[in-house]
Amino acid sequence: MVSGMVDLSVKIGDITLANPVTPASGAFSWEYNDVIDLNRLGGLVAKTICREPRLGNPTPRMAETEAGIIQSIGLPGKGIEYFIDHIVPEYARFTPPLIVSCSSDNIEEFALLTEELAACPDVDVIEANISCPTRNLTGQNFAMHEDYTRDAVKAIKDKCAGKPLWVKLSPNAGDIVSIAKAAEDAGADCLVIANTFLSLKIRTDNFRPALGNKFGGLVSPALKPIVLRMVYQVAKQVKIPIIGIGGVTKAEDVVEYMLAGASAVGIGYAGFRNPTALVQIIDDLEAWCNERGIKKVTDLIGAVKDDDMEMDPLVTASHGV
Amino acid sequence: MVSGMVDLSVKIGDITLANPVTPASGAFSWEYNDVIDLNRLGGLVAKTICREPRLGNPTPRMAETEAGIIQSIGLPGKGIEYFIDHIVPEYARFTPPLIVSCSSDNIEEFALLTEELAACPDVDVIEANISCPTRNLTGQNFAMHEDYTRDAVKAIKDKCAGKPLWVKLSPNAGDIVSIAKAAEDAGADCLVIANTFLSLKIRTDNFRPALGNKFGGLVSPALKPIVLRMVYQVAKQVKIPIIGIGGVTKAEDVVEYMLAGASAVGIGYAGFRNPTALVQIIDDLEAWCNERGIKKVTDLIGAVKDDDMEMDPLVTASHGV
Amino acid sequence: MALESCEKYTDTALRPGDADRYPDRLAGEFLGLVVSNDWVNKEYKHLVLKVHDRALKAYAGQFFHLLCPTPDGAEVWMRRPMSVYRVDKPKGQIEFLYKCEGRGTRGMGMLAAGDEFNIAGPLGKGFHLDPAWKNIVVLGRGVGLATLAPLSQLAAENKVGVTAILSARNPDVVMSKDLFDGLGAKTITVLDTDKSSEVANVEKVIEGLISDRKADAFFTCGSSRLLKLMQQLGKKHGIPGQVAMEQIMVCGVGACYVCMRTFEIDGVKTLKRVCRDGPVFDMQQAVGW
Amino acid sequence: MALESCEKYTDTALRPGDADRYPDRLAGEFLGLVVSNDWVNKEYKHLVLKVHDRALKAYAGQFFHLLCPTPDGAEVWMRRPMSVYRVDKPKGQIEFLYKCEGRGTRGMGMLAAGDEFNIAGPLGKGFHLDPAWKNIVVLGRGVGLATLAPLSQLAAENKVGVTAILSARNPDVVMSKDLFDGLGAKTITVLDTDKSSEVANVEKVIEGLISDRKADAFFTCGSSRLLKLMQQLGKKHGIPGQVAMEQIMVCGVGACYVCMRTFEIDGVKTLKRVCRDGPVFDMQQAVGW
Ligand SMILES: Cc1cc2nc3c(=O)[nH]c(=O)nc-3n(C[C@H](O)[C@H](O)[C@H](O)COP(=O)(O)OP(=O)(O)OC[C@H]3O[C@@H](n4cnc5c(N)ncnc54)[C@H](O)[C@@H]3O)c2cc1C
Ligand SMILES: Cc1cc2nc3c(=O)[nH]c(=O)nc-3n(C[C@H](O)[C@H](O)[C@H](O)COP(=O)(O)OP(=O)(O)OC[C@H]3O[C@@H](n4cnc5c(N)ncnc54)[C@H](O)[C@@H]3O)c2cc1C
Ligand SMILES: Cc1cc2nc3c(=O)[nH]c(=O)nc-3n(C[C@H](O)[C@H](O)[C@H](O)COP(=O)(O)O)c2cc1C
Ligand SMILES: Cc1cc2nc3c(=O)[nH]c(=O)nc-3n(C[C@H](O)[C@H](O)[C@H](O)COP(=O)(O)O)c2cc1C
Ligand code: FES
Ligand code: FES
């Protein structure tokens, strides 16, 4: 690895990340410090917290599928008070900015929760998870609808006390671009694209759903091309930065998301598969940039070459493989 | 394989399929007769035909992804006249019912096309492909919207001359249930769920989209849990039969789709991977049913056991793994 | 003309002998080198791995999270948790005893000497030996014995006497007897074939040990039935106990809240993470295995 | 307690010796048994497979669609098309010559004697030899020679003389010379290292063959530059020709319309499927390789 040449830092609004690699909410906790050096990460992203204590969903909460896993956790947690008193301090020991994901299915409660978090000095960013597909049985959430998104984001933004608000969108929405624009209009400072795909597995041995909650969110490297398409479409239509989440397993995937228009990425699955993956991806990304003489990783953002595509099939078919 | 016990036949409206395994449109042609016995299949499904000749999309039309492929063919074909004169007779040599998929982005043209197909005696079923994500550059199509779906299906149904109309929906829609109901209301006799997921791959060696058409449809066994969830949700809300398409690679997947509420399945990817897969899946399905003493495969339709699920996490967590 | 490859996943794990940038971390990701992987009977295999020093920190009751090779050309998507069966510090080796059953463990069964195997750990809270205990009773069945076996080593190191009751379907699948024997434990085998494994008989055996003051603490793993028996006897005689639990896992480090089990503490039911709050728990708090 | 396995894919292909329910089908899916898989130079390997009788129907210019093993633990999702390099009917074997490059071909490179390898075919339209032709010229470069090599066999069987011009970067990667030589072809090697492979020189060589009446038809594969040269010379002298094309494939049987190339017929450009309309096409109709 050639080192010390490329500048890996990216700015998401006023927040500077030392590099564009962050964990995805719910797939990370300070406990990973047992295995990796958390100070290497672009950011620390806490698991989505709800205002009241929640036990979460029935077990089993995970099942393997043909190519990936479905999971349904149901946002368990000990509530906002415990979180601020006991969990924020765990993260505060480390240097990267702390992004706290939070959620509610009630706008007023969401606003209250935001207010409480914003008042906590160690919280650098509020990430509104308006897209968890498994917090209730129907899979519905604000991010499925343009109007709900706008209303929720407005109410939350009001209570951020000037702290940046990132909004996590759903890949289950039909028109991601309209929803992204609604979130931007309502004051989101960054869009996190995307949460998990609402899914079902039925066991053929006992004819029962494989998960205790019936539905679960599908997580798989296979899904990257879908989410990448969403990031690409949204990036063409909004001005705020985007964090791409879905199927990143290697440095080239970070590059691909950035080319499509993301400023950074979030990683879940890959860190489960290889607990040291995030650190390795940062190292590999640095090496990748240095090998190509890329001086600032931000040069990659939106750099896809898509403006001179040949649309005559008779011409393109005669190009080499 | 124990043979001759289970009755594998299923009825989709008035059409009887000898078994619930059909190819998916665009992933099949009579040319597969070089490799397998087409008379074994539940149905023959022709590639989507458009009224006018089309060259299709620029190459490359396929790229491998982390777990699957993206493809963008663009509905090439020689037009309806050639189709009826030269391609229908190729299929007519075989015994299973012929399902002809057709498409247009214009409702009047769609209706005309339907009329021409319905007049052809060898065509048994008309499948309206209102969901191809790559026939134009935006990925838009009727099946993204409830209203467009209703209008298109109504106009098409009018010209079916009494032949069954199957309507193929899009997994890119946000609210598949509403769209399914709109199609049912408008006269669809069966819902085909689903087409491919709009996706993008960007090459990190040259920063260009990997496909000539930029966007492509993602095809992968990984996607089965998403489509299965859609089939399950729709089956609870409509009365017409459903054909599940997405990631079927083995007999258990057919069972899983049927448990979720499908009456039959369509198969694309698995037949590309293993050209003999469909025949093998039929054999395996027969053996699977016979081993379990299932007398009619139709007993599986909607037989998922989901009505006595334990929703208290404190109780379920104490059940064994 | 070359298209991009679609290779996935970086592999970053420490190999035996690699310099360790973070020697103080409790756990890590390692590429173990397979020394041997042999059948111990028709169902179980025994895997010996040469590992990086950091992996040798594992102690009894902890587990590793294993990235199993594929048995069938398709990928195995999630790691599999597996108790440490034995740590051999002088040789720089750790060992696993496992049942070849599903995709992951069958994939594991394919490993051959010289292969690399990616493991993450050591993870979780292991067994605890109170210095006041002179004699403990270990009761296990099936694969549960793989988890309990290293207790014999721990006890030997702490000069604590062990009686190990090994329950099995038939004499062919009795496991770990040699390991317990070799470390000075007294072993009692109970079998389904001669009905000696029935709860009533096991109860008699344990009551005997209690009378003989050979039961300062109870340890179990692998059977709800046996857990219940030990809970009853523990409560009756005021004997403390520990149980090692299992649950489907994703992260293995305490982040994802997938691996929940129910526990009852002072009459209140709650959920705990098997991977980090356990896998070893206070026996009386466990609500079913 | 066992969870469902998530094994994928049925495997149904015919093994050598299996009874054939459909012996008349033109193609099939086969599990070939690897006889050998050796390096022929630093970049290319030569795979010999024992196959089911139905697979032996393959003729020169046809291809098989190969389900490559994984080089890296993740799955290879699409088959790879590969020309038949040689059919050895007496031994019941077919052979491939291939460049180890991307994931699929590197996976293929890992095959060892005794392994099974899933192939589908034979597919496509191969080379055609006109009974009127006495002498043909074969011009190929790199992996293109793997496709052209079986022409020598076909020509030998039809008592047609062959001149094979083998173009290569350097003497180490000249391929198939032995195969051509062994079947009585005259081989001419042209190299980048001594510049003999430059178009002007190759043109001179071919013009010489035309003067000597050794060029009743042209065959090429693997290089746009050489295709263009042969097109020009063919047009100039009225010599017919055939070219074998490549394109990314999905189905390989003509159903999916992924493998399109542009052809010009009577001034009108059109798309054709490499897998079924080809891979061998009329040389004058090809628009770039
Ligand atoms: C802390 C701990 C220690 C363990 N120690 C051992 C041991 O030493 N030896 C041994 O043979 N087994 C042990 N197990 C059980 C072992 O993890 C499972 O047998 C294994 O995961 C099954 O994987 P599979 O691919 O063979 O089965 P599959 O049925 O194909 O697995 C499918 C999924 O279910 C999960 N799963 C299945 N059974 C279990 C289980 N009992 N516990 C947790 N997850 C499960 C798998 O991890 C996988 O995610 C232990 C489990 C835990 C939690
Ligand atoms: C009819 C035909 C016959 C062929 N015969 C031979 C042969 O005898 N020997 C040989 O070495 N090669 C041959 N090729 C090329 C061979 O198919 C590719 O080298 C191979 O597919 C590359 O796969 P990969 O996984 O190594 O490369 P990757 O770059 O990882 O492949 C990625 C994708 O692109 C496709 N692809 C890449 N290169 C080509 C290509 N040139 N043609 C078609 N698809 C491609 C692959 O199939 C795959 O889908 C032939 C191609 C065709 C179409
Ligand atoms: C076990 C698990 C728990 C998750 N919990 C949360 C959560 O609490 N909040 C949230 O916004 N996303 C949650 N997610 C979604 C991830 O943040 C991420 O969007 C998703 O895993 C896709 O990224 P990946 O492909 O890199 O895994 C969770 C995902 C998993 C697998
Ligand atoms: C190469 C290719 C071409 C396709 N063409 C069509 C088409 O013409 N019409 C259509 O309705 N669906 C088309 N599809 C979608 C398939 O019919 C099917 O919905 C999809 O492949 C998902 O099923 P699978 O997971 O079994 O492949 C195509 C898919 C592929 C891979
Ligand atoms: S497996 Fe993630 S918390 Fe236990
Ligand atoms: S590869 Fe499908 S038509 Fe050629």
Side-chain angles (χ1 to χ4, degrees):
Chain A
M1 191 190 57
V2 195
S3 154
M5 289 170 63
V6 63
D7 175 4
L8 284 184
S9 70
V10 297
K11 289 197 77 174
I12 311 285
D14 295 336
I15 301 288
T16 300
L17 311 181
N19 62 69
V21 177
T22 71
S25 175
F28 177 71
S29 71
W30 75 92
E31 286 120 331
Y32 265 98
N33 191 49
D34 288 358
V35 187
I36 56 167
D37 181 359
L38 301 194
N39 289 331
R40 296 282 324 272
L41 303 178
L44 306 174
V45 183
K47 174 159 184 72
T48 302
I49 182 72
C50 299
R51 194 148 186 270
E52 302 298 332
R54 285 171 65 98
L55 284 169
N57 288 334
T59 56
R61 290 182 175 180
M62 187 279 283
E64 256 188 309
T65 60
E66 274 66 17
I69 60 169
I70 56 171
Q71 48 79 31
S72 171
I73 316 296
L75 304 183
K78 297 191 176 167
I80 182 67
E81 262 180 68
Y82 183 91
F83 180 81
I84 288 178
D85 292 347
H86 296 94
I87 297 185
V88 170
E90 297 282 3
Y91 285 112
R93 296 184 283 133
F94 304 99
T95 51
L98 174 59
I99 296 115
V100 175
S101 172
C102 59
S103 187
S104 172
D105 51 13
N106 169 294
I107 292 191
E108 283 89 61
E109 193 195 43
F110 219 139
L112 268 178
L113 178 58
T114 305
E115 195 166 17
E116 288 156 341
L117 279 175
C120 179
D122 287 325
V123 173
D124 299 301
V125 174
I126 290 159
E127 179 171 307
N129 177 0
I130 61 169
S131 50
C132 180
T134 53
R135 66 164 293 143
N136 62 44
L137 254 177
T138 65
Q140 282 303 316
N141 53 60
F142 296 118
M144 293 300 287
H145 298 277
E146 206 179 316
D147 296 340
Y148 299 162
T149 297
R150 188 177 293 108
D151 294 346
V153 174
K154 254 196 199 124
I156 297 164
K157 175 72 179 182
D158 266 358
K159 304 294 180 183
C160 283
K163 287 198 173 161
L165 172 62
W166 299 1
V167 176
K168 188 158 179 184
L169 302 184
S170 170
N172 302 302
D175 185 357
I176 191 82
V177 172
S178 307
I179 292 166
K181 281 176 162 171
E184 181 183 40
D185 286 351
D189 297 300
C190 169
L191 300 171
V192 183
I193 300 173
N195 219 309
T196 56
F197 290 76
L198 190 66
S199 296
L200 176 66
K201 173 178 174 172
I202 301 173
R203 295 170 55 148
T204 53
D205 57 348
N206 62 11
F207 291 16
R208 290 185 177 279
L211 295 185
N213 183 53
K214 189 153 72 179
F215 294 136
L218 181 64
V219 171
S220 164
L223 303 168
K224 189 188 63 175
I226 308 179
V227 182
L228 192 84
R229 180 267 299 176
M230 292 180 176
V231 167
Y232 173 89
Q233 289 178 314
V234 170
K236 298 258 179 203
Q237 304 282 338
V238 303
K239 293 194 184 63
I240 52 178
I242 296 169
I243 294 178
I245 303 191
V248 173
T249 62
K250 58 186 186 303
E252 283 80 0
D253 298 336
V254 182
V255 175
E256 196 180 2
Y257 268 110
M258 294 186 81
L259 293 173
S263 296
V265 302
I267 301 181
Y269 176 77
F272 292 141
R273 187 184 189 280
N274 296 86
T276 53
L278 274 74
V279 170
Q280 178 73 24
I281 289 171
I282 295 166
D283 287 345
D284 290 350
L285 180 65
E286 183 170 22
W288 192 93
C289 290
N290 285 335
E291 275 165 26
R292 283 157 190 81
I294 290 167
K295 293 269 178 284
K296 295 182 302 181
V297 77
T298 50
D299 288 346
L300 296 172
I301 302 172
V304 57
K305 290 189 186 146
D306 57 356
D307 45 7
D308 60 347
M309 294 184 74
E310 177 57 67
M311 283 298 148
D312 181 349
L314 293 173
V315 174
T316 61
S318 62
H319 293 160
V321 172
Chain B
M1 191 189 58
V2 195
S3 154
M5 288 169 62
V6 62
D7 176 3
L8 285 184
S9 70
V10 296
K11 288 197 77 173
I12 311 285
D14 295 335
I15 300 290
T16 300
L17 311 181
N19 62 68
V21 177
T22 71
S25 175
F28 176 72
S29 70
W30 74 93
E31 285 120 330
Y32 265 97
N33 191 48
D34 288 358
V35 187
I36 57 168
D37 180 358
L38 302 194
N39 289 332
R40 296 283 321 273
L41 303 177
L44 306 174
V45 183
K47 172 158 188 71
T48 302
I49 182 73
C50 298
R51 192 146 188 271
E52 302 297 331
R54 285 171 65 99
L55 284 168
N57 288 333
T59 55
R61 290 182 175 180
M62 186 280 281
E64 254 188 309
T65 61
E66 275 66 18
I69 60 169
I70 56 171
Q71 48 78 30
S72 171
I73 316 296
L75 305 183
K78 297 192 176 165
I80 182 70
E81 262 180 69
Y82 182 91
F83 181 82
I84 289 178
D85 292 347
H86 296 95
I87 297 184
V88 170
E90 296 282 1
Y91 287 111
R93 294 184 285 134
F94 304 99
T95 51
L98 174 60
I99 296 116
V100 175
S101 172
C102 59
S103 187
S104 173
D105 49 13
N106 170 294
I107 293 191
E108 283 88 63
E109 193 195 43
F110 219 140
L112 268 178
L113 178 58
T114 307
E115 195 166 19
E116 288 156 343
L117 279 174
C120 179
D122 287 324
V123 173
D124 298 301
V125 174
I126 290 159
E127 179 171 307
N129 176 0
I130 61 169
S131 51
C132 178
T134 54
R135 65 163 292 143
N136 61 43
L137 254 178
T138 65
Q140 283 302 317
N141 52 59
F142 295 117
M144 293 299 287
H145 298 277
E146 206 179 316
D147 295 340
Y148 298 162
T149 296
R150 187 177 292 106
D151 293 347
V153 174
K154 252 194 200 128
I156 297 164
K157 175 72 179 183
D158 266 358
K159 305 294 180 181
C160 284
K163 288 198 173 161
L165 172 61
W166 299 1
V167 176
K168 189 160 179 183
L169 302 184
S170 171
N172 302 301
D175 185 359
I176 191 83
V177 172
S178 307
I179 292 167
K181 281 173 162 175
E184 182 182 38
D185 286 352
D189 297 299
C190 168
L191 300 171
V192 183
I193 301 174
N195 218 308
T196 56
F197 289 75
L198 190 66
S199 296
L200 176 64
K201 173 178 175 174
I202 302 174
R203 294 171 56 149
T204 53
D205 57 347
N206 63 11
F207 291 16
R208 291 184 176 281
L211 295 185
N213 183 53
K214 190 153 71 182
F215 294 136
L218 181 65
V219 171
S220 164
L223 303 169
K224 188 188 64 176
I226 308 179
V227 181
L228 191 83
R229 180 265 299 174
M230 292 180 176
V231 166
Y232 174 88
Q233 289 179 315
V234 170
K236 299 257 177 203
Q237 303 283 337
V238 304
K239 295 196 184 62
I240 52 178
I242 295 170
I243 294 179
I245 304 191
V248 173
T249 61
K250 57 188 186 304
E252 283 81 359
D253 298 337
V254 182
V255 174
E256 198 180 2
Y257 268 110
M258 295 186 81
L259 293 173
S263 297
V265 302
I267 300 181
Y269 176 77
F272 292 142
R273 187 184 189 280
N274 296 84
T276 53
L278 275 74
V279 170
Q280 179 73 24
I281 289 171
I282 295 165
D283 286 346
D284 289 350
L285 179 66
E286 182 169 25
W288 191 95
C289 290
N290 285 336
E291 275 165 29
R292 282 157 190 80
I294 290 167
K295 293 267 177 288
K296 294 183 302 180
V297 78
T298 50
D299 288 346
L300 297 172
I301 301 172
V304 58
K305 290 188 185 146
D306 58 357
D307 45 6
D308 60 348
M309 293 185 74
E310 177 57 67
M311 282 299 148
D312 181 349
L314 294 172
V315 175
T316 60
S318 62
H319 293 161
V321 171
Chain C
M1 230 185 68
L3 283 176
E4 265 180 296
S5 78
C6 55
E7 274 145 304
K8 303 192 289 191
Y9 308 127
T10 47
D11 216 337
T12 159
L14 290 170
R15 289 180 164 77
D18 277 356
D20 192 349
R21 282 167 78 187
Y22 303 106
D24 294 339
R25 301 218 176 251
L26 296 172
E29 189 182 333
F30 306 102
L31 279 178
L33 206 66
V34 176
V35 175
S36 63
N37 188 24
D38 301 322
W39 290 101
V40 298
N41 57 41
K42 273 189 205 150
E43 297 172 0
Y44 289 85
K45 290 193 92 165
H46 176 219
L47 175 67
V48 180
L49 285 184
K50 176 128 193 112
V51 288
H52 189 273
D53 287 348
R54 208 203 296 170
L56 298 173
K57 294 179 180 173
Y59 60 93
Q62 283 195 304
F63 69 95
F64 280 85
H65 217 182
L66 315 179
L67 197 54
C68 299
T70 164
D72 51 21
E75 193 169 343
V76 177
W77 295 88
M78 226 356 100
R79 286 178 183 259
R80 306 298 197 241
M82 204 68 78
S83 297
V84 178
Y85 181 59
R86 187 157 168 253
V87 179
D88 187 339
K89 285 200 182 148
K91 287 197 181 152
Q93 294 176 348
I94 59 174
E95 305 177 16
F96 298 97
L97 182 73
Y98 62 100
K99 191 167 179 185
C100 274
E101 209 171 11
R103 277 187 80 223
T105 47
R106 278 188 290 123
M108 219 174 137
M110 293 167 52
L111 289 168
D115 287 349
E116 285 186 331
F117 186 37
N118 185 312
I119 67 173
L123 299 168
K125 263 177 37 193
F127 293 107
H128 169 73
L129 276 193
D130 192 314
W133 297 338
K134 298 271 169 290
N135 293 287
I136 62 172
V137 178
V138 172
L139 170 61
R141 186 175 166 90
V143 93
L145 288 166
T147 304
L148 296 167
L151 259 178
S152 57
Q153 199 177 348
L154 189 67
E157 282 164 17
N158 288 275
K159 305 203 179 359
V160 174
V162 175
T163 310
I165 309 173
L166 317 179
S167 171
R169 271 207 318 282
N170 61 55
D172 294 344
V173 292
V174 176
M175 274 181 315
S176 310
K177 190 169 167 356
D178 298 348
L179 189 69
F180 281 107
D181 285 342
L183 286 154
K186 188 186 155 206
T187 54
I188 302 170
T189 302
V190 295
L191 299 171
D192 296 0
T193 35
D194 64 8
K195 299 198 172 166
S196 56
S197 65
E198 282 181 2
V199 172
N201 183 56
V202 176
E203 180 169 0
K204 227 165 50 195
V205 171
I206 299 178
E207 287 279 14
L209 292 167
I210 296 171
S211 316
D212 296 350
R213 312 204 157 260
K214 294 286 187 206
D216 298 332
F218 286 159
F219 294 83
T220 191
C221 177
S223 154
S224 261
R225 215 166 37 109
L226 298 181
L227 167 62
K228 255 186 213 124
L229 173 64
M230 280 201 142
Q231 282 177 327
Q232 279 161 19
L233 292 173
K235 217 171 246 165
K236 181 168 154 201
H237 299 282
I239 297 170
Q242 292 165 35
V243 58
M245 305 287 284
E246 295 185 5
Q247 179 58 289
I248 294 174
M249 292 186 182
V250 168
C251 72
V253 307
C256 74
Y257 291 79
V258 161
C259 62
M260 310 312 283
R261 285 266 172 217
T262 308
F263 296 87
E264 192 173 324
I265 304 168
D266 302 331
V268 181
K269 282 193 177 165
T270 181
L271 297 176
K272 290 188 178 190
R273 296 166 298 183
V274 170
C275 73
R276 192 168 191 102
D277 304 322
V280 176
F281 295 91
D282 182 296
M283 187 181 285
Q284 295 298 345
Q285 296 180 354
V287 178
W289 190 74
Chain D
M1 234 187 62
L3 284 175
E4 263 181 298
S5 78
C6 54
E7 274 145 303
K8 304 193 288 190
Y9 309 125
T10 46
D11 217 337
T12 156
L14 290 171
R15 289 179 166 77
D18 277 357
D20 192 349
R21 282 167 76 189
Y22 303 106
D24 294 338
R25 304 219 175 249
L26 296 172
E29 189 183 333
F30 306 102
L31 280 179
L33 206 65
V34 176
V35 174
S36 64
N37 188 23
D38 301 320
W39 290 101
V40 298
N41 56 42
K42 274 187 202 151
E43 298 172 359
Y44 290 84
K45 290 193 91 165
H46 177 218
L47 175 69
V48 180
L49 286 182
K50 176 128 192 112
V51 290
H52 189 274
D53 287 348
R54 208 206 294 171
L56 298 172
K57 293 180 181 173
Y59 59 92
Q62 283 195 306
F63 68 97
F64 279 85
H65 217 181
L66 315 179
L67 197 55
C68 299
T70 166
D72 51 20
E75 192 168 343
V76 177
W77 296 88
M78 224 359 98
R79 285 179 183 257
R80 306 297 197 242
M82 204 69 78
S83 298
V84 178
Y85 181 60
R86 189 156 167 253
V87 179
D88 186 340
K89 286 199 181 150
K91 286 196 181 153
Q93 295 175 347
I94 59 173
E95 306 177 16
F96 299 97
L97 182 72
Y98 63 101
K99 191 166 180 185
C100 275
E101 210 170 10
R103 278 187 80 222
T105 47
R106 278 187 293 125
M108 219 175 138
M110 294 167 52
L111 290 168
D115 287 348
E116 284 186 333
F117 186 38
N118 185 311
I119 67 174
L123 300 168
K125 263 178 36 193
F127 294 106
H128 169 74
L129 276 193
D130 191 313
W133 298 336
K134 296 271 170 291
N135 292 288
I136 62 172
V137 179
V138 172
L139 170 61
R141 185 175 167 91
V143 93
L145 287 167
T147 304
L148 295 167
L151 257 177
S152 56
Q153 199 176 350
L154 190 67
E157 281 164 18
N158 288 276
K159 304 201 176 7
V160 174
V162 176
T163 309
I165 309 174
L166 315 179
S167 172
R169 271 207 317 284
N170 62 56
D172 292 346
V173 292
V174 176
M175 275 180 314
S176 309
K177 189 168 167 0
D178 298 348
L179 190 70
F180 280 108
D181 285 343
L183 287 154
K186 188 187 153 203
T187 53
I188 302 171
T189 303
V190 295
L191 299 171
D192 296 359
T193 35
D194 64 8
K195 301 199 168 163
S196 57
S197 66
E198 282 180 2
V199 172
N201 184 56
V202 176
E203 179 169 0
K204 225 162 57 193
V205 172
I206 301 179
E207 286 281 12
L209 292 168
I210 297 171
S211 313
D212 295 352
R213 313 204 157 260
K214 294 285 186 204
D216 297 333
F218 287 157
F219 294 84
T220 191
C221 177
S223 154
S224 261
R225 214 164 39 106
L226 298 180
L227 167 62
K228 252 185 217 129
L229 173 64
M230 281 200 140
Q231 283 177 326
Q232 278 160 19
L233 292 174
K235 216 171 247 167
K236 182 168 151 198
H237 298 282
I239 298 169
Q242 292 165 33
V243 58
M245 305 287 285
E246 295 186 3
Q247 179 60 289
I248 294 173
M249 291 186 182
V250 168
C251 72
V253 307
C256 75
Y257 290 81
V258 160
C259 62
M260 311 311 282
R261 286 265 172 215
T262 308
F263 296 86
E264 192 172 323
I265 303 167
D266 303 329
V268 180
K269 281 191 177 167
T270 182
L271 297 175
K272 290 190 178 187
R273 296 166 299 184
V274 170
C275 75
R276 194 169 190 101
D277 303 322
V280 176
F281 294 92
D282 182 297
M283 186 181 284
Q284 294 298 343
Q285 296 180 352
V287 178
W289 190 72

